[in-house]
Amino acid sequence: MSKLCLVLGDQLSLDMSSIQSIDKQKDRILMAEVKQEATYVKHHKKKIAFIFSAMRHFAQQLDANGYQVDYIKYDDAENAGSLLEQVKKACRQHDISEVTVAQPGEYRLLEDIKQWEEELNIPVKITPDNRFMAEQSFFHDWAEGRKQLRMEYFYREMRKKHNYLMESGQPTGGKWNYDNQNREKAPKNLDIPSPTVFERDDITNEVIALVKDSFSEHFGDLDDFHYAVTRKQALVVLEEFIEHRLPKFGQYQDAMIEGEPWMYHSHVSFYINTGLLSPQECMDAAEQAYASGQAPLNSVEGFIRQILGWREYVRGFYWYLMPDYKEKNYLSASRALPDLYWGAETKMNCLKQCVKETKENAYAHHIQRLMVLGNFALLAGLDPDQVNEWYLIVYADAYEWVELPNVSGMILFTDGGLLASKPYAASGAYINKMSDYCRNCEYSVKEKTGHQACPFNYLYWDFLIRHQDVLGKNPRMGMIYNTLKKMDETKVSHMQQDAEAFFEKLANNEKV
Ligand SMILES: Cc1cc2nc3c(=O)[nH]c(=O)nc-3n(C[C@H](O)[C@H](O)[C@H](O)COP(=O)(O)OP(=O)(O)OC[C@H]3O[C@@H](n4cnc5c(N)ncnc54)[C@H](O)[C@@H]3O)c2cc1C
Ligand code: SF4
């Protein structure tokens, strides 16, 4: 009798608690590319190619490390189509007495696995996902009794607990957060390093052919697939980031340039979220770069805050608040997601560029996701379920534990202020300040009303007016509502009319 360890597609680390709990000599590992997981939403083609290729490479690594692995490919004749059916088959085949699996990243799958014991008639042990630095109980204790769950305070606790950028109990440099130094617009002619590119090997080529064949109706391009698919390659991405991008990461963290999807960001989310890199090694490398004078504090603190703060925070937040969190819709948003999110033509250059890059790369950096694509979804009152599904589909780093709090909490304000103290709503002026998109746009960012006016301008004020009853009570919105109060009534009425006409066009599927 032996144990069966199920390794999911985003659990590709030898240090995984489930893998650590088995005996190489007598237990078995199962990995399977199943239809149920690959199609419950229609993931971007590049996301599927990346995950399948990384899984196949990881199976080889397991094998080289002496584990006995059964790997079921998507197009294998014996593929049973779901994880449970595949586990049942393996149990029959190998005389299994216990199944072990590390906690999955989605509530849906965890609830499903919890039912397996009954189906299989043997114990199913769910081990904690030990790749995170904050245990769920730590987040729970921190969050319990708080009305608002601000990331900043959680982050300070994590800094102290894990001793990142701390000196004698105080934050390095005297401040916890250097975000105010991380908002520069990018000047012209920046020499941005190219992303790390890897040659595709036979495994990746085989996977790409499979995705072309079996997922042809999914969104996204497959051309120029260059991502890391092994831990060794992912370490090179990290190394190149630390050397070439980290020094300017902080300074241009919020900047957007047309045709520069990668900017000075790290591009490590694909790899941390699948287990190819650990969050600790990413932060250790950044802290080391600060210690040796290779990178300034605003960059290093900014990077560590994203990982030790935001990443750990949204994960704790997700498990603390699910399943109710998914149902929230504080602003009663219900408009259908317009086709422009799937690449339909639009005159709005910022949206056009961000969707184009998302389609090409299954990647967009944070400010594109937040202040262009997300800001539009918020201002236009798009349906949270549809927006969440879109984000889960299109980004190669998207798993529900990280996608949902970012989309529902950060961009759509569906929780009424639990995650963010106020909505991240902005007019065209913000996009113009932080990018060069407006230069090539058919609309004019300077105009507030009329057919040439940037839609973000009138949609912004229309949004504030629509939700004045609830947002007007928010102390952090006081100043902006005072400005609205003083605004010329005719101008306000024109903006509302423009917004109405814009929404009508959206409803009629006309180009906006
Ligand atoms: C609407 C929206 C949806 C998002 N969906 C996802 C998602 O599905 N998966 C995902 O990993 N990130 C998501 N993010 C967070 C962030 O945009 C991505 O982590 C980042 O763009 C990935 O690129 P990078 O590795 O170059 O990140 P960098 O900018 O270099 O940041 C470094 C790392 O910090 C972490 N990080 C930064 N911000 C966040 C955050 N808000 N939440 C969690 N981790 C963070 C990531 O691990 C990232 O790799 C979302 C953000 C928004 C606003
Ligand atoms: S003018 Fe408005 S719509 Fe056009 S790129 Fe600028 S912000 Fe976007």
Side-chain angles (χ1 to χ4, degrees), residues 241 249 253 265-270 272-273 303 306-307 310-311 314 363-366 369-370 391 395 397-399 401-403 406-407 410-411:
F241 164 67
F249 169 82
Q253 199 177 345
H265 291 270
S266 66
H267 326 141
V268 294
S269 56
F270 301 177
I272 310 186
N273 292 355
F303 182 67
Q306 303 309 314
I307 294 182
W310 277 112
R311 185 172 185 275
V314 296
Y363 175 88
H365 69 70
H366 188 67
R369 297 188 206 196
L370 178 65
Y391 275 92
Y395 294 115
D397 55 23
Y399 303 89
W401 65 266
V402 53
E403 172 276 321
N406 273 300
V407 170
M410 202 182 301
I411 68 170

mmCIF file of all heavy atoms in Angstrom, residues 241 249 253 265-270 272-273 303 306-307 310-311 314 363-366 369-370 391 395 397-399 401-403 406-407 410-411, ligand 1:
data_model
loop_
_atom_site.group_PDB
_atom_site.id
_atom_site.type_symbol
_atom_site.label_atom_id
_atom_site.label_comp_id
_atom_site.label_asym_id
_atom_site.label_seq_id
_atom_site.Cartn_x
_atom_site.Cartn_y
_atom_site.Cartn_z
ATOM 1 N N PHE A 241 16.455 40.633 -13.721
ATOM 2 C CA PHE A 241 15.661 41.736 -13.148
ATOM 3 C C PHE A 241 16.502 42.496 -12.123
ATOM 4 O O PHE A 241 16.584 43.729 -12.171
ATOM 5 C CB PHE A 241 14.380 41.194 -12.492
ATOM 6 C CG PHE A 241 13.733 42.188 -11.566
ATOM 7 C CD1 PHE A 241 13.165 43.356 -12.055
ATOM 8 C CD2 PHE A 241 13.705 41.969 -10.188
ATOM 9 C CE1 PHE A 241 12.581 44.293 -11.198
ATOM 10 C CE2 PHE A 241 13.129 42.891 -9.319
ATOM 11 C CZ PHE A 241 12.563 44.058 -9.830
ATOM 12 N N PHE A 249 13.168 50.223 -11.085
ATOM 13 C CA PHE A 249 11.830 49.668 -10.854
ATOM 14 C C PHE A 249 10.953 50.660 -10.078
ATOM 15 O O PHE A 249 9.813 50.939 -10.462
ATOM 16 C CB PHE A 249 11.960 48.344 -10.076
ATOM 17 C CG PHE A 249 10.657 47.790 -9.548
ATOM 18 C CD1 PHE A 249 9.809 47.048 -10.362
ATOM 19 C CD2 PHE A 249 10.268 48.004 -8.230
ATOM 20 C CE1 PHE A 249 8.611 46.530 -9.872
ATOM 21 C CE2 PHE A 249 9.071 47.488 -7.729
ATOM 22 C CZ PHE A 249 8.251 46.747 -8.558
ATOM 23 N N GLN A 253 7.722 52.675 -11.638
ATOM 24 C CA GLN A 253 6.787 51.587 -11.330
ATOM 25 C C GLN A 253 5.386 51.855 -11.891
ATOM 26 O O GLN A 253 4.670 50.942 -12.288
ATOM 27 C CB GLN A 253 6.711 51.433 -9.805
ATOM 28 C CG GLN A 253 6.170 50.116 -9.350
ATOM 29 C CD GLN A 253 6.187 49.983 -7.827
ATOM 30 O OE1 GLN A 253 6.838 50.758 -7.144
ATOM 31 N NE2 GLN A 253 5.472 49.020 -7.310
ATOM 32 N N HIS A 265 9.489 46.275 -14.760
ATOM 33 C CA HIS A 265 8.890 45.319 -13.827
ATOM 34 C C HIS A 265 9.705 44.017 -13.825
ATOM 35 O O HIS A 265 10.544 43.777 -14.697
ATOM 36 C CB HIS A 265 7.418 45.092 -14.192
ATOM 37 C CG HIS A 265 6.604 46.316 -13.910
ATOM 38 N ND1 HIS A 265 5.990 46.529 -12.705
ATOM 39 C CD2 HIS A 265 6.360 47.413 -14.662
ATOM 40 C CE1 HIS A 265 5.385 47.704 -12.726
ATOM 41 N NE2 HIS A 265 5.589 48.268 -13.904
ATOM 42 N N SER A 266 9.389 43.162 -12.857
ATOM 43 C CA SER A 266 10.229 41.972 -12.655
ATOM 44 C C SER A 266 9.821 40.783 -13.514
ATOM 45 O O SER A 266 10.638 39.911 -13.784
ATOM 46 C CB SER A 266 10.175 41.559 -11.183
ATOM 47 O OG SER A 266 8.869 41.128 -10.851
ATOM 48 N N HIS A 267 8.531 40.709 -13.874
ATOM 49 C CA HIS A 267 7.978 39.589 -14.653
ATOM 50 C C HIS A 267 8.131 38.254 -13.927
ATOM 51 O O HIS A 267 8.286 37.215 -14.566
ATOM 52 C CB HIS A 267 8.620 39.495 -16.058
ATOM 53 C CG HIS A 267 8.962 40.824 -16.629
ATOM 54 N ND1 HIS A 267 10.098 41.063 -17.337
ATOM 55 C CD2 HIS A 267 8.313 42.005 -16.567
ATOM 56 C CE1 HIS A 267 10.145 42.336 -17.693
ATOM 57 N NE2 HIS A 267 9.063 42.934 -17.234
ATOM 58 N N VAL A 268 8.116 38.299 -12.605
ATOM 59 C CA VAL A 268 8.293 37.042 -11.862
ATOM 60 C C VAL A 268 6.973 36.446 -11.366
ATOM 61 O O VAL A 268 6.963 35.350 -10.812
ATOM 62 C CB VAL A 268 9.282 37.184 -10.672
ATOM 63 C CG1 VAL A 268 10.689 37.466 -11.162
ATOM 64 C CG2 VAL A 268 8.807 38.212 -9.663
ATOM 65 N N SER A 269 5.863 37.156 -11.567
ATOM 66 C CA SER A 269 4.589 36.654 -11.009
ATOM 67 C C SER A 269 4.231 35.275 -11.579
ATOM 68 O O SER A 269 3.730 34.415 -10.861
ATOM 69 C CB SER A 269 3.450 37.644 -11.289
ATOM 70 O OG SER A 269 3.369 37.892 -12.674
ATOM 71 N N PHE A 270 4.487 35.045 -12.874
ATOM 72 C CA PHE A 270 4.183 33.728 -13.469
ATOM 73 C C PHE A 270 4.886 32.633 -12.653
ATOM 74 O O PHE A 270 4.344 31.568 -12.416
ATOM 75 C CB PHE A 270 4.738 33.582 -14.896
ATOM 76 C CG PHE A 270 4.263 34.574 -15.932
ATOM 77 C CD1 PHE A 270 4.796 34.509 -17.216
ATOM 78 C CD2 PHE A 270 3.314 35.523 -15.668
ATOM 79 C CE1 PHE A 270 4.394 35.392 -18.212
ATOM 80 C CE2 PHE A 270 2.897 36.417 -16.646
ATOM 81 C CZ PHE A 270 3.448 36.353 -17.908
ATOM 82 N N ILE A 272 6.518 32.862 -9.525
ATOM 83 C CA ILE A 272 6.244 32.709 -8.078
ATOM 84 C C ILE A 272 4.916 31.981 -7.908
ATOM 85 O O ILE A 272 4.792 31.092 -7.070
ATOM 86 C CB ILE A 272 6.157 34.053 -7.328
ATOM 87 C CG1 ILE A 272 7.343 34.960 -7.608
ATOM 88 C CG2 ILE A 272 6.071 33.813 -5.824
ATOM 89 C CD1 ILE A 272 7.339 36.232 -6.755
ATOM 90 N N ASN A 273 3.937 32.352 -8.725
ATOM 91 C CA ASN A 273 2.604 31.759 -8.526
ATOM 92 C C ASN A 273 2.541 30.277 -8.892
ATOM 93 O O ASN A 273 1.634 29.573 -8.439
ATOM 94 C CB ASN A 273 1.544 32.535 -9.331
ATOM 95 C CG ASN A 273 1.339 33.942 -8.787
ATOM 96 O OD1 ASN A 273 1.919 34.293 -7.759
ATOM 97 N ND2 ASN A 273 0.529 34.742 -9.453
ATOM 98 N N PHE A 303 9.601 46.862 -4.269
ATOM 99 C CA PHE A 303 9.515 45.464 -4.731
ATOM 100 C C PHE A 303 9.143 44.535 -3.569
ATOM 101 O O PHE A 303 8.265 43.675 -3.692
ATOM 102 C CB PHE A 303 10.865 45.066 -5.348
ATOM 103 C CG PHE A 303 10.899 43.675 -5.903
ATOM 104 C CD1 PHE A 303 10.135 43.334 -7.017
ATOM 105 C CD2 PHE A 303 11.682 42.692 -5.316
ATOM 106 C CE1 PHE A 303 10.173 42.036 -7.540
ATOM 107 C CE2 PHE A 303 11.728 41.399 -5.833
ATOM 108 C CZ PHE A 303 10.968 41.072 -6.946
ATOM 109 N N GLN A 306 5.531 44.817 -2.660
ATOM 110 C CA GLN A 306 4.606 44.115 -3.567
ATOM 111 C C GLN A 306 4.482 42.648 -3.190
ATOM 112 O O GLN A 306 3.416 42.060 -3.253
ATOM 113 C CB GLN A 306 5.074 44.190 -5.029
ATOM 114 C CG GLN A 306 5.283 45.586 -5.590
ATOM 115 C CD GLN A 306 4.108 46.494 -5.359
ATOM 116 O OE1 GLN A 306 2.969 46.119 -5.577
ATOM 117 N NE2 GLN A 306 4.357 47.694 -4.883
ATOM 118 N N ILE A 307 5.608 42.059 -2.769
ATOM 119 C CA ILE A 307 5.599 40.613 -2.508
ATOM 120 C C ILE A 307 5.216 40.295 -1.058
ATOM 121 O O ILE A 307 4.269 39.542 -0.792
ATOM 122 C CB ILE A 307 6.970 40.001 -2.879
ATOM 123 C CG1 ILE A 307 7.165 40.134 -4.397
ATOM 124 C CG2 ILE A 307 7.045 38.532 -2.463
ATOM 125 C CD1 ILE A 307 8.439 39.540 -4.930
ATOM 126 N N TRP A 310 1.594 43.194 -0.570
ATOM 127 C CA TRP A 310 0.401 42.950 -1.390
ATOM 128 C C TRP A 310 0.126 41.479 -1.662
ATOM 129 O O TRP A 310 -0.991 40.999 -1.512
ATOM 130 C CB TRP A 310 0.497 43.713 -2.730
ATOM 131 C CG TRP A 310 0.071 45.132 -2.571
ATOM 132 C CD1 TRP A 310 0.874 46.230 -2.661
ATOM 133 C CD2 TRP A 310 -1.246 45.609 -2.261
ATOM 134 N NE1 TRP A 310 0.139 47.362 -2.433
ATOM 135 C CE2 TRP A 310 -1.164 47.016 -2.190
ATOM 136 C CE3 TRP A 310 -2.469 45.002 -2.033
ATOM 137 C CZ2 TRP A 310 -2.269 47.819 -1.896
ATOM 138 C CZ3 TRP A 310 -3.578 45.791 -1.745
ATOM 139 C CH2 TRP A 310 -3.477 47.169 -1.678
ATOM 140 N N ARG A 311 1.162 40.748 -2.054
ATOM 141 C CA ARG A 311 0.912 39.365 -2.469
ATOM 142 C C ARG A 311 0.426 38.517 -1.287
ATOM 143 O O ARG A 311 -0.543 37.772 -1.395
ATOM 144 C CB ARG A 311 2.191 38.779 -3.084
ATOM 145 C CG ARG A 311 1.989 37.392 -3.653
ATOM 146 C CD ARG A 311 3.220 36.937 -4.434
ATOM 147 N NE ARG A 311 2.948 35.657 -5.054
ATOM 148 C CZ ARG A 311 3.090 34.489 -4.450
ATOM 149 N NH1 ARG A 311 3.494 34.454 -3.204
ATOM 150 N NH2 ARG A 311 2.801 33.373 -5.082
ATOM 151 N N VAL A 314 -3.209 39.800 -0.181
ATOM 152 C CA VAL A 314 -4.402 39.418 -0.970
ATOM 153 C C VAL A 314 -4.707 37.926 -0.782
ATOM 154 O O VAL A 314 -5.859 37.516 -0.776
ATOM 155 C CB VAL A 314 -4.329 39.750 -2.489
ATOM 156 C CG1 VAL A 314 -4.254 41.245 -2.716
ATOM 157 C CG2 VAL A 314 -3.220 39.032 -3.207
ATOM 158 N N TYR A 363 0.150 39.170 -20.313
ATOM 159 C CA TYR A 363 0.774 39.987 -19.271
ATOM 160 C C TYR A 363 0.427 41.451 -19.514
ATOM 161 O O TYR A 363 0.354 41.905 -20.662
ATOM 162 C CB TYR A 363 2.311 39.833 -19.331
ATOM 163 C CG TYR A 363 3.068 40.734 -18.367
ATOM 164 C CD1 TYR A 363 3.337 40.309 -17.073
ATOM 165 C CD2 TYR A 363 3.491 42.014 -18.741
ATOM 166 C CE1 TYR A 363 4.019 41.133 -16.167
ATOM 167 C CE2 TYR A 363 4.174 42.840 -17.839
ATOM 168 C CZ TYR A 363 4.430 42.385 -16.562
ATOM 169 O OH TYR A 363 5.093 43.196 -15.675
ATOM 170 N N ALA A 364 0.179 42.154 -18.448
ATOM 171 C CA ALA A 364 0.158 43.619 -18.472
ATOM 172 C C ALA A 364 0.671 44.000 -17.104
ATOM 173 O O ALA A 364 0.474 43.246 -16.141
ATOM 174 C CB ALA A 364 -1.257 44.157 -18.679
ATOM 175 N N HIS A 365 1.346 45.129 -17.006
ATOM 176 C CA HIS A 365 1.876 45.438 -15.671
ATOM 177 C C HIS A 365 0.792 46.081 -14.812
ATOM 178 O O HIS A 365 -0.319 46.362 -15.266
ATOM 179 C CB HIS A 365 3.196 46.204 -15.738
ATOM 180 C CG HIS A 365 3.103 47.611 -16.249
ATOM 181 N ND1 HIS A 365 2.511 48.603 -15.524
ATOM 182 C CD2 HIS A 365 3.545 48.163 -17.406
ATOM 183 C CE1 HIS A 365 2.597 49.727 -16.216
ATOM 184 N NE2 HIS A 365 3.209 49.483 -17.359
ATOM 185 N N HIS A 366 1.138 46.281 -13.556
ATOM 186 C CA HIS A 366 0.135 46.619 -12.553
ATOM 187 C C HIS A 366 -0.710 47.851 -12.902
ATOM 188 O O HIS A 366 -1.936 47.840 -12.756
ATOM 189 C CB HIS A 366 0.856 46.832 -11.219
ATOM 190 C CG HIS A 366 -0.079 46.989 -10.068
ATOM 191 N ND1 HIS A 366 -0.885 45.961 -9.620
ATOM 192 C CD2 HIS A 366 -0.372 48.052 -9.285
ATOM 193 C CE1 HIS A 366 -1.613 46.383 -8.608
ATOM 194 N NE2 HIS A 366 -1.320 47.647 -8.386
ATOM 195 N N ARG A 369 -3.225 47.224 -15.566
ATOM 196 C CA ARG A 369 -4.363 46.449 -15.054
ATOM 197 C C ARG A 369 -5.270 47.298 -14.163
ATOM 198 O O ARG A 369 -6.486 47.143 -14.175
ATOM 199 C CB ARG A 369 -3.865 45.244 -14.227
ATOM 200 C CG ARG A 369 -3.066 44.242 -15.023
ATOM 201 C CD ARG A 369 -2.768 42.982 -14.208
ATOM 202 N NE ARG A 369 -1.558 42.329 -14.687
ATOM 203 C CZ ARG A 369 -1.196 41.089 -14.397
ATOM 204 N NH1 ARG A 369 -1.956 40.344 -13.622
ATOM 205 N NH2 ARG A 369 -0.080 40.574 -14.860
ATOM 206 N N LEU A 370 -4.605 48.184 -13.386
ATOM 207 C CA LEU A 370 -5.363 48.953 -12.390
ATOM 208 C C LEU A 370 -5.967 50.240 -12.955
ATOM 209 O O LEU A 370 -7.169 50.464 -12.842
ATOM 210 C CB LEU A 370 -4.420 49.276 -11.217
ATOM 211 C CG LEU A 370 -4.961 50.121 -10.063
ATOM 212 C CD1 LEU A 370 -6.064 49.391 -9.311
ATOM 213 C CD2 LEU A 370 -3.846 50.489 -9.080
ATOM 214 N N TYR A 391 -10.242 38.858 -16.169
ATOM 215 C CA TYR A 391 -8.891 38.913 -15.593
ATOM 216 C C TYR A 391 -8.338 37.512 -15.331
ATOM 217 O O TYR A 391 -7.145 37.265 -15.470
ATOM 218 C CB TYR A 391 -8.883 39.729 -14.304
ATOM 219 C CG TYR A 391 -8.739 41.225 -14.524
ATOM 220 C CD1 TYR A 391 -9.859 42.053 -14.647
ATOM 221 C CD2 TYR A 391 -7.486 41.820 -14.614
ATOM 222 C CE1 TYR A 391 -9.733 43.422 -14.843
ATOM 223 C CE2 TYR A 391 -7.339 43.193 -14.819
ATOM 224 C CZ TYR A 391 -8.462 43.984 -14.935
ATOM 225 O OH TYR A 391 -8.320 45.334 -15.142
ATOM 226 N N TYR A 395 -4.596 36.685 -17.936
ATOM 227 C CA TYR A 395 -3.231 36.831 -17.420
ATOM 228 C C TYR A 395 -2.641 35.483 -17.009
ATOM 229 O O TYR A 395 -3.293 34.692 -16.326
ATOM 230 C CB TYR A 395 -3.185 37.849 -16.268
ATOM 231 C CG TYR A 395 -3.513 39.222 -16.802
ATOM 232 C CD1 TYR A 395 -4.661 39.903 -16.408
ATOM 233 C CD2 TYR A 395 -2.712 39.796 -17.786
ATOM 234 C CE1 TYR A 395 -4.986 41.143 -16.967
ATOM 235 C CE2 TYR A 395 -3.029 41.026 -18.353
ATOM 236 C CZ TYR A 395 -4.160 41.691 -17.940
ATOM 237 O OH TYR A 395 -4.470 42.890 -18.512
ATOM 238 N N ASP A 397 -0.528 34.852 -14.884
ATOM 239 C CA ASP A 397 -0.285 34.712 -13.443
ATOM 240 C C ASP A 397 -1.588 34.652 -12.652
ATOM 241 O O ASP A 397 -1.589 34.750 -11.428
ATOM 242 C CB ASP A 397 0.584 35.873 -12.927
ATOM 243 C CG ASP A 397 -0.014 37.246 -13.272
ATOM 244 O OD1 ASP A 397 -1.230 37.351 -13.495
ATOM 245 O OD2 ASP A 397 0.759 38.224 -13.315
ATOM 246 N N ALA A 398 -2.724 34.510 -13.350
ATOM 247 C CA ALA A 398 -4.018 34.650 -12.660
ATOM 248 C C ALA A 398 -4.546 33.337 -12.090
ATOM 249 O O ALA A 398 -4.773 32.374 -12.822
ATOM 250 C CB ALA A 398 -5.045 35.251 -13.615
ATOM 251 N N TYR A 399 -4.712 33.336 -10.791
ATOM 252 C CA TYR A 399 -5.375 32.262 -10.038
ATOM 253 C C TYR A 399 -6.339 32.996 -9.124
ATOM 254 O O TYR A 399 -6.047 34.117 -8.691
ATOM 255 C CB TYR A 399 -4.354 31.445 -9.237
ATOM 256 C CG TYR A 399 -3.281 30.870 -10.135
ATOM 257 C CD1 TYR A 399 -2.128 31.603 -10.412
ATOM 258 C CD2 TYR A 399 -3.458 29.643 -10.762
ATOM 259 C CE1 TYR A 399 -1.169 31.119 -11.291
ATOM 260 C CE2 TYR A 399 -2.496 29.147 -11.646
ATOM 261 C CZ TYR A 399 -1.364 29.889 -11.902
ATOM 262 O OH TYR A 399 -0.424 29.417 -12.774
ATOM 263 N N TRP A 401 -7.110 33.143 -6.050
ATOM 264 C CA TRP A 401 -6.714 33.712 -4.752
ATOM 265 C C TRP A 401 -6.088 35.105 -4.921
ATOM 266 O O TRP A 401 -6.170 35.946 -4.027
ATOM 267 C CB TRP A 401 -5.742 32.781 -4.008
ATOM 268 C CG TRP A 401 -4.406 32.582 -4.682
ATOM 269 C CD1 TRP A 401 -4.063 31.579 -5.525
ATOM 270 C CD2 TRP A 401 -3.245 33.423 -4.592
ATOM 271 N NE1 TRP A 401 -2.763 31.730 -5.966
ATOM 272 C CE2 TRP A 401 -2.237 32.851 -5.402
ATOM 273 C CE3 TRP A 401 -2.955 34.601 -3.892
ATOM 274 C CZ2 TRP A 401 -0.970 33.420 -5.539
ATOM 275 C CZ3 TRP A 401 -1.693 35.165 -4.037
ATOM 276 C CH2 TRP A 401 -0.720 34.575 -4.849
ATOM 277 N N VAL A 402 -5.439 35.342 -6.051
ATOM 278 C CA VAL A 402 -4.781 36.644 -6.249
ATOM 279 C C VAL A 402 -5.606 37.554 -7.169
ATOM 280 O O VAL A 402 -5.651 38.767 -6.984
ATOM 281 C CB VAL A 402 -3.316 36.465 -6.749
ATOM 282 C CG1 VAL A 402 -3.220 35.599 -7.972
ATOM 283 C CG2 VAL A 402 -2.615 37.782 -6.994
ATOM 284 N N GLU A 403 -6.299 36.951 -8.117
ATOM 285 C CA GLU A 403 -7.070 37.749 -9.079
ATOM 286 C C GLU A 403 -8.283 38.405 -8.418
ATOM 287 O O GLU A 403 -8.537 39.590 -8.598
ATOM 288 C CB GLU A 403 -7.461 36.830 -10.257
ATOM 289 C CG GLU A 403 -8.427 37.425 -11.256
ATOM 290 C CD GLU A 403 -9.867 37.266 -10.813
ATOM 291 O OE1 GLU A 403 -10.233 36.221 -10.256
ATOM 292 O OE2 GLU A 403 -10.625 38.240 -10.991
ATOM 293 N N ASN A 406 -7.793 41.512 -6.115
ATOM 294 C CA ASN A 406 -7.320 42.643 -6.914
ATOM 295 C C ASN A 406 -8.446 43.225 -7.764
ATOM 296 O O ASN A 406 -8.569 44.435 -7.900
ATOM 297 C CB ASN A 406 -6.161 42.203 -7.815
ATOM 298 C CG ASN A 406 -4.814 42.311 -7.110
ATOM 299 O OD1 ASN A 406 -4.403 43.384 -6.688
ATOM 300 N ND2 ASN A 406 -4.141 41.185 -6.942
ATOM 301 N N VAL A 407 -9.257 42.357 -8.329
ATOM 302 C CA VAL A 407 -10.305 42.847 -9.228
ATOM 303 C C VAL A 407 -11.505 43.364 -8.429
ATOM 304 O O VAL A 407 -11.911 44.518 -8.569
ATOM 305 C CB VAL A 407 -10.730 41.741 -10.229
ATOM 306 C CG1 VAL A 407 -11.975 42.157 -11.002
ATOM 307 C CG2 VAL A 407 -9.584 41.456 -11.194
ATOM 308 N N MET A 410 -9.779 45.817 -5.302
ATOM 309 C CA MET A 410 -8.969 46.974 -5.679
ATOM 310 C C MET A 410 -9.595 47.776 -6.809
ATOM 311 O O MET A 410 -9.654 48.990 -6.742
ATOM 312 C CB MET A 410 -7.554 46.536 -6.049
ATOM 313 C CG MET A 410 -6.592 47.691 -5.926
ATOM 314 S SD MET A 410 -4.889 47.349 -6.370
ATOM 315 C CE MET A 410 -4.403 46.067 -5.303
ATOM 316 N N ILE A 411 -10.062 47.117 -7.860
ATOM 317 C CA ILE A 411 -10.550 47.969 -8.965
ATOM 318 C C ILE A 411 -12.047 48.241 -8.899
ATOM 319 O O ILE A 411 -12.485 49.309 -9.265
ATOM 320 C CB ILE A 411 -10.138 47.455 -10.376
ATOM 321 C CG1 ILE A 411 -10.831 46.158 -10.750
ATOM 322 C CG2 ILE A 411 -8.644 47.371 -10.533
ATOM 323 C CD1 ILE A 411 -10.640 45.750 -12.195
HETATM 324 C C1 LIG B 1 -6.978 44.260 -11.498
HETATM 325 C C2 LIG B 1 -5.715 43.550 -11.140
HETATM 326 C C3 LIG B 1 -5.612 42.196 -11.327
HETATM 327 C C4 LIG B 1 -4.452 41.514 -10.955
HETATM 328 N N1 LIG B 1 -4.413 40.171 -11.133
HETATM 329 C C5 LIG B 1 -3.293 39.491 -10.746
HETATM 330 C C6 LIG B 1 -3.220 38.086 -10.924
HETATM 331 O O1 LIG B 1 -4.151 37.451 -11.401
HETATM 332 N N2 LIG B 1 -2.068 37.459 -10.533
HETATM 333 C C7 LIG B 1 -1.021 38.150 -10.000
HETATM 334 O O2 LIG B 1 -0.002 37.523 -9.664
HETATM 335 N N3 LIG B 1 -1.080 39.469 -9.810
HETATM 336 C C8 LIG B 1 -2.178 40.165 -10.182
HETATM 337 N N4 LIG B 1 -2.210 41.514 -10.013
HETATM 338 C C9 LIG B 1 -1.088 42.198 -9.357
HETATM 339 C C10 LIG B 1 -0.001 42.718 -10.296
HETATM 340 O O3 LIG B 1 -0.562 43.498 -11.301
HETATM 341 C C11 LIG B 1 0.817 41.594 -10.891
HETATM 342 O O4 LIG B 1 1.296 40.758 -9.857
HETATM 343 C C12 LIG B 1 2.027 42.131 -11.652
HETATM 344 O O5 LIG B 1 1.600 42.993 -12.663
HETATM 345 C C13 LIG B 1 2.850 40.999 -12.208
HETATM 346 O O6 LIG B 1 3.915 41.470 -12.957
HETATM 347 P P1 LIG B 1 5.401 41.502 -12.399
HETATM 348 O O7 LIG B 1 5.782 40.159 -11.931
HETATM 349 O O8 LIG B 1 6.235 42.133 -13.445
HETATM 350 O O9 LIG B 1 5.217 42.416 -11.119
HETATM 351 P P2 LIG B 1 6.106 43.529 -10.417
HETATM 352 O O10 LIG B 1 5.491 44.845 -10.668
HETATM 353 O O11 LIG B 1 7.523 43.390 -10.763
HETATM 354 O O12 LIG B 1 5.878 43.197 -8.874
HETATM 355 C C14 LIG B 1 6.623 42.191 -8.198
HETATM 356 C C15 LIG B 1 5.737 41.108 -7.650
HETATM 357 O O13 LIG B 1 4.900 41.605 -6.632
HETATM 358 C C16 LIG B 1 3.699 40.848 -6.560
HETATM 359 N N5 LIG B 1 2.563 41.782 -6.642
HETATM 360 C C17 LIG B 1 2.587 43.068 -7.029
HETATM 361 N N6 LIG B 1 1.374 43.630 -6.883
HETATM 362 C C18 LIG B 1 0.563 42.671 -6.412
HETATM 363 C C19 LIG B 1 -0.816 42.634 -6.074
HETATM 364 N N7 LIG B 1 -1.595 43.712 -6.169
HETATM 365 N N8 LIG B 1 -1.321 41.467 -5.673
HETATM 366 C C20 LIG B 1 -0.552 40.361 -5.565
HETATM 367 N N9 LIG B 1 0.757 40.345 -5.865
HETATM 368 C C21 LIG B 1 1.304 41.493 -6.271
HETATM 369 C C22 LIG B 1 3.725 39.879 -7.741
HETATM 370 O O14 LIG B 1 4.104 38.619 -7.273
HETATM 371 C C23 LIG B 1 4.783 40.466 -8.648
HETATM 372 O O15 LIG B 1 5.435 39.488 -9.403
HETATM 373 C C24 LIG B 1 -3.375 42.222 -10.381
HETATM 374 C C25 LIG B 1 -3.484 43.592 -10.215
HETATM 375 C C26 LIG B 1 -4.641 44.257 -10.573
HETATM 376 C C27 LIG B 1 -4.753 45.722 -10.337
#
